[in-house]
Amino acid sequence: MIYTASYYFKNLLAVKIMNILEMKNISKSFPGVKALNDMSLTVKKGEVHGLLGANGAGKSTLMKVLSGVISPDAGDIIFKGESVQFTSPLDAQEKGIVIIHQELSLVPSLSVAENILLGRLPGKPHNINWKKAYNDAAVYLEKVGTYIKPSTKVRDLSVAQKQLVEIAKALSYDADLIIMDEPSAVLSGSELNQLFNTINSLAEKGVTVIYISHRLEEIFQICNRITIMRDGQVIETREVAETNREQIIRGIVGRELSEEYPPSETYNFGDVILSVKNLSLKGKLDNINLDLKKGEILGLAGLVGSGRTEIARSIFGADVYDKGEIFYKGKKTVIKSPKQAIELGIALVPEDRKEQGLITSFSLKENFTMAALKKINNKGFMKFKKEIDESKSLVNQLKIKTPSVGQIALNLSGGNQQKVVVGKYLFSDADILILDEPTRGVDVGAKREIYLVIRELIKQDKAVLLISSDWEELIALCDRLLVVHEGKIKGEMNGQDASPEKILDLALT
Ligand SMILES: Nc1ncnc2c1ncn2[C@@H]1O[C@H](COP(=O)(O)OP(=O)(O)OP(=O)(O)O)[C@@H](O)[C@H]1O
Ligand SMILES: [Mg+2]
């Protein structure tokens, strides 16, 4: 065969069209942290490309560079065959790149429709065509399989619903490349399937998706290729069909991980520490009954909006229930506020880390100790050394990636922020820990550390109420599972007998 100039030219063009994106030798440093270190990434047109790596590996930073949120210290970006330098997210958007951020960025005081169509509401600024706005928004909401009313205020939505709105908003831009930074962290069952359907139909239309997730089973369901990052560098890019779970985990954590879930040890439960009787909350909870024993991990499974979080918040005194009783340590107790709950020895790791769990402008050590100031306070004098020592030990125990315990929480990666929230409540020495999505956005290696801590608490006779949208996690950790649907408990099963199919069956009917 004779290779002509035109043959080469055609091939060159094909390569250009095949690769919608090339990021070459990107570096980015923050004070004390080299977040990206000569990182390169190539993405083909129309593929779903998984971006994997441990907490703090640099995934979000790389995607912020790509979407014009931050500018790199060095490196080149070639998008649709052209060298580009984005000066702002709007600039990237106009060229066809949209990002769904890991930390949700909707405006809580505005409606769902206003958020989706922000800056693009139909009609004139003083005469908005609301009918059209709501209709348009509804079309995008339907694409992600949710029927939230477009006029609902975003602040009234659950974390998972907010996530769905973010996705709907991204779809509305008609982008060539959509970056999804952990869109599935709070979704399960049918919502997750709907997200995958949406991604598949985008890919069919030739839209490229970069997909970040710590849930590895998803990678095999929807990604064509993956790139694994570690410490701001690329470890490898592979076809998903040519890899397996063990190999991916090795790439992410840099070593073998003997088992993802530490095996449970036989343990005799103690007395019932918490008993909830006939608890009802108008429109949200209907006659909830549950018992939690010392040394027990009780799971709450269900879909978005099923009432799991409301059960947790009612016990914690954050929601005021209309009917029912709570018995704590054998005594009828009315818990009026979270402050009172903490004093009684009940702690809640909330699902919304940014709004309720973490003060992002505070340092790590301040965040750790603020729920248990008594422990570091001696007659009005702060025990600063103790604060630092205890904080350092939590950083080690949970393997939090930070230059120091004085770093402000905002500067940590998403998964590391989550570990700080978990650490804060571990420090509080509570008897009951209510964990609402404790491993949201946490990498496989660090998840195991959190599981080990939970098991350690159980050995100290504490009790755990665990809510998670990761059903594998619930099944592996819980002694008993309650399935919640439409504010009611639909069934109970032992951890050993549970399966995702059984949960789904109860969660839907
Ligand atoms: N604005 C900032 N100031 C200081 N350090 C930062 C800032 N943004 C990110 N970092 C640091 O850069 C590193 C990479 O963070 P990045 O958010 O990209 O990680 P990630 O891979 O997305 O992790 P995760 O899985 O936890 O979301 C981390 O060590 C993080 O603490
Ligand atoms: Mg991230």
Side-chain angles (χ1 to χ4, degrees):
M1 190 174 177
I2 302 163
Y3 295 110
T4 58
S6 90
Y7 174 88
Y8 278 114
F9 183 69
K10 260 193 209 152
N11 256 3
L12 204 67
L13 208 67
V15 169
K16 269 193 176 169
I17 293 170
M18 245 174 64
N19 287 338
I20 187 168
L21 172 72
E22 283 175 65
M23 297 183 82
K24 290 185 188 163
N25 312 101
I26 308 279
S27 292
K28 176 77 192 177
S29 290
F30 299 108
V33 186
K34 188 145 197 159
L36 298 173
N37 185 5
D38 209 21
M39 172 71 201
S40 296
L41 171 72
T42 302
V43 177
K44 293 181 190 166
K45 185 175 184 322
E47 75 171 336
V48 181
H49 194 109
L51 187 59
L52 305 176
N55 296 133
K59 304 176 296 295
S60 296
T61 306
L62 186 70
M63 293 302 106
K64 283 180 191 161
V65 166
L66 177 58
S67 57
V69 178
I70 54 178
S71 48
D73 301 336
D76 298 306
I77 304 175
I78 298 163
F79 183 61
K80 294 194 278 193
E82 252 180 65
S83 175
V84 287
Q85 268 179 331
F86 300 129
T87 50
S88 69
L90 195 66
D91 188 15
Q93 226 171 60
E94 279 165 1
K95 303 229 169 60
I97 300 179
V98 212
I99 182 165
I100 303 171
H101 284 290
Q102 177 174 16
E103 298 302 330
L104 304 179
S105 53
L106 301 171
V107 186
S109 58
L110 296 182
S111 69
V112 169
E114 284 167 293
N115 268 284
I116 292 179
L117 303 169
L118 204 66
R120 303 169 294 163
L121 284 165
K124 299 199 179 73
H126 298 293
N127 189 14
I128 286 164
N129 183 346
W130 287 108
K131 189 157 178 262
K132 180 160 176 7
Y134 291 151
N135 283 341
D136 289 355
V139 171
Y140 297 114
L141 289 167
E142 204 182 320
K143 283 195 183 160
V144 296
T146 181
Y147 295 93
I148 306 165
K149 261 174 74 185
S151 56
T152 316
K153 291 269 187 284
V154 161
R155 64 164 170 261
D156 296 328
L157 302 180
S158 71
V159 176
Q161 286 171 322
K162 286 182 198 159
Q163 182 69 67
L164 295 172
V165 172
E166 286 272 9
I167 300 167
K169 178 176 172 184
L171 294 181
S172 74
Y173 285 104
D174 253 346
D176 299 310
L177 172 67
I178 300 187
I179 303 163
M180 301 189 175
D181 196 350
E182 302 195 31
S184 62
V186 290
L187 305 180
S188 47
S190 40
E191 294 112 18
L192 200 59
N193 287 336
Q194 190 56 49
L195 172 67
F196 292 167
N197 288 342
T198 309
I199 293 176
N200 283 334
S201 63
L202 285 170
E204 273 166 25
K205 279 190 259 158
V207 177
T208 309
V209 176
I210 298 182
Y211 188 85
I212 301 180
S213 175
H214 289 292
R215 293 190 184 169
L216 302 183
E217 60 282 0
E218 298 176 356
I219 302 305
F220 294 95
Q221 279 174 275
I222 52 158
C223 294
N224 306 103
R225 295 196 308 153
I226 51 163
T227 293
I228 301 178
M229 299 180 65
R230 202 190 307 145
D231 296 328
Q233 289 180 315
V234 60
I235 298 298
E236 60 180 351
T237 296
R238 270 175 187 272
E239 296 283 334
V240 169
E242 288 166 11
T243 184
N244 59 45
R245 195 174 172 103
E246 285 70 40
Q247 223 169 32
I248 293 181
I249 292 179
R250 211 179 309 134
I252 294 173
V253 292
R255 62 186 155 84
E256 295 293 333
L257 198 65
S258 50
E259 71 243 321
E260 284 177 55
Y261 298 101
S264 63
E265 294 163 37
T266 15
Y267 187 80
N268 293 328
F269 303 137
D271 303 336
V272 171
I273 183 165
L274 178 81
S275 190
V276 171
K277 296 201 188 303
N278 308 322
L279 193 87
S280 294
L281 176 62
K282 200 163 172 273
K284 299 219 164 127
L285 298 176
D286 184 9
N287 214 22
I288 300 289
N289 285 286
L290 64 86
D291 280 342
L292 176 64
K293 298 193 186 87
K294 286 185 179 169
E296 187 181 32
I297 307 178
L298 175 65
L300 294 181
L303 297 175
V304 174
S306 57
R308 296 163 305 174
T309 294
E310 284 77 11
I311 295 178
R313 289 174 52 87
S314 299
I315 296 172
F316 190 58
D319 281 345
V320 184
Y321 46 90
D322 315 317
K323 269 192 242 144
E325 291 170 331
I326 289 177
F327 292 84
Y328 177 62
K329 294 185 177 169
K331 268 198 284 184
K332 186 174 163 182
T333 313
V334 181
I335 302 169
K336 292 204 185 95
S337 66
K339 186 166 171 275
Q340 188 194 352
I342 291 171
E343 278 164 10
L344 285 168
I346 303 175
L348 171 80
V349 174
E351 70 171 335
D352 196 338
R353 64 172 163 251
K354 245 177 139 186
E355 278 180 21
Q356 301 161 19
L358 196 70
I359 302 190
T360 49
S361 58
F362 278 20
S363 69
L364 260 67
K365 60 179 193 300
E366 287 162 333
N367 269 292
F368 282 143
T369 52
M370 69 189 179
L373 284 174
K374 264 189 241 151
K375 270 176 85 174
I376 50 154
N377 192 317
N378 186 13
K379 299 185 186 106
F381 291 99
M382 288 283 285
K383 298 186 218 162
F384 289 114
K385 183 159 182 320
K386 185 164 176 158
E387 183 183 34
I388 291 177
D389 290 347
E390 296 255 5
S391 299
K392 280 188 180 161
S393 115
L394 284 170
V395 164
N396 287 336
Q397 195 180 1
L398 296 168
K399 301 204 166 52
I400 298 174
K401 190 174 173 187
T402 175
S404 79
V405 293
Q407 174 75 296
I408 62 163
L410 182 70
N411 288 345
L412 296 192
S413 77
N416 283 303
Q417 288 184 5
Q418 181 63 30
K419 289 191 254 172
V420 174
V421 179
V422 173
K424 167 178 160 183
Y425 292 99
L426 294 181
F427 184 72
S428 76
D429 251 352
D431 295 316
I432 297 182
L433 267 137
I434 307 174
L435 308 172
D436 196 351
E437 305 281 3
T439 60
R440 172 181 169 204
V442 171
D443 70 55
V444 280
K447 265 186 192 162
R448 195 167 179 279
E449 306 302 328
I450 292 183
Y451 300 151
L452 286 171
V453 171
I454 295 177
R455 291 240 190 270
E456 195 51 44
L457 292 169
I458 289 305
K459 277 196 213 148
Q460 296 164 17
D461 239 11
K462 315 228 163 183
V464 172
L465 187 65
L466 178 65
I467 300 175
S468 174
S469 49
D470 184 343
W471 292 349
E472 299 287 343
E473 169 177 297
L474 278 179
I475 293 166
L477 286 183
C478 294
D479 300 300
R480 218 159 32 100
L481 271 170
L482 303 175
V483 182
V484 188
H485 176 59
E486 291 181 346
K488 293 195 186 84
I489 292 178
K490 287 289 176 170
E492 176 178 336
M493 55 188 99
N494 280 324
Q496 296 102 308
D497 309 331
S499 67
E501 294 74 29
K502 281 191 194 166
I503 298 178
L504 189 63
D505 210 29
L506 289 167
L508 287 176
T509 47

